Amino acid sequence: AATRSFKWQMEAIRKAARVIAVSENTKQDIIRLVQVPPEHIEVIHMAPGEHFQVLERTKVQACLEKYGIEPPFILYVGNYNIHKNIEAIVEAWHHTHPVAPLVIVGKRDSYPRQLQVRIAALGRSNAVHFIGGLSCDSPDLVALYNAATVFVFPSLYEGFGLPVVEAMRCGCPVIASRRGSLPEVVGEGGRLVEPDDITGLADEIQRILDDDQWRGTLRTKGLEYVS
């Protein structure tokens, strides 16, 4: 069924009079893989909802108390998928000290057992918070973006990568991978690492956790860039 759906999508793209791509990277993928002439493709970037914004501290604190989370903490938003490279977050997080909680907003049952076994083997199970059931328009999601010390998104490929823009719009420093559309989307607003560079990712996380001035700089850069 998935193969049939993919073939149908490719045929629809080829027949379309005009194609909207969400990033320049996606446009180039369509040109290369589907052989659509570049003059038939228009790039229109995605944008976060207006509700993703910097909140008053009282609203943020109420959300943290609701879930029993104390800053500083590392945030990831998304269900599990192999290309999301969440294993890299866990391995990099293992090298950061002292232990800051890792908050994962996504369906816990989408995460494979072996990943949870790995977290347990690292002795950090008590520091992982899975928060499920939050839709993209949830006030709690906005509050968690506001409260997080750093948002980490080391995906192996993204056609756009909307969560990094949501995070930046909420004033949260962002670390993303240098893959797919993410360099284009993050731009000068955050930090980029190679998705297989665990040490580099850990160093970037550690610096943001430790250095208040650097964290403030990234917050400002992100807010300016996302506008």
Side-chain angles (χ1 to χ4, degrees), residues 1-50:
T3 301
R4 287 197 302 271
S5 175
F6 180 75
K7 288 181 178 178
W8 179 87
Q9 290 175 43
M10 295 302 99
E11 189 61 26
I13 292 172
R14 290 188 185 99
K15 290 182 177 180
R18 199 77 174 166
V19 177
I20 296 173
V22 295
S23 64
E24 185 63 38
N25 180 76
T26 296
K27 176 180 177 178
Q28 296 305 318
D29 283 347
I30 294 170
I31 294 169
R32 179 170 55 89
L33 298 173
V34 197
Q35 288 80 52
V36 173
E39 60 271 20
H40 290 182
I41 307 172
E42 190 76 24
V43 175
I44 301 176
H45 288 132
M46 298 176 75
E50 293 294 322

Side-chain angles (χ1 to χ4, degrees), residues 141-160:
L141 176 58
V142 179
L144 289 167
Y145 276 132
N146 270 262
T149 309
V150 56
F151 178 74
V152 185
F153 203 72
S155 185
L156 299 172
Y157 180 85
E158 292 291 331
F160 186 80

Side-chain angles (χ1 to χ4, degrees), residues 76 78-87 110-112:
Y76 172 79
N79 296 329
Y80 183 88
N81 196 301
I82 192 68
H83 75 278
K84 296 294 186 180
N85 198 28
I86 297 162
E87 290 82 358
S110 74
Y111 283 72

Side-chain angles (χ1 to χ4, degrees), residues 151-226:
F151 178 74
V152 185
F153 203 72
S155 185
L156 299 172
Y157 180 85
E158 292 291 331
F160 186 80
L162 193 55
V164 299
V165 185
E166 295 170 350
M168 287 191 288
R169 201 167 195 273
C170 293
C172 182
V174 164
I175 304 171
S177 67
R178 196 176 283 110
R179 288 289 187 276
S181 299
L182 290 171
E184 177 184 347
V185 174
V186 173
E188 297 298 317
R191 301 292 294 169
L192 296 172
V193 297
E194 294 298 331
D196 57 351
D197 183 6
I198 302 302
T199 301
L201 178 56
D203 288 347
E204 292 284 357
I205 294 171
Q206 190 74 62
R207 184 181 180 189
I208 293 171
L209 290 172
D210 293 345
D211 190 333
D212 292 348
Q213 185 173 352
W214 177 236
R215 190 164 62 249
T217 296
L218 289 180
R219 171 185 169 87
T220 300
K221 282 185 174 183
L223 286 168
E224 290 174 350
Y225 186 78
V226 80

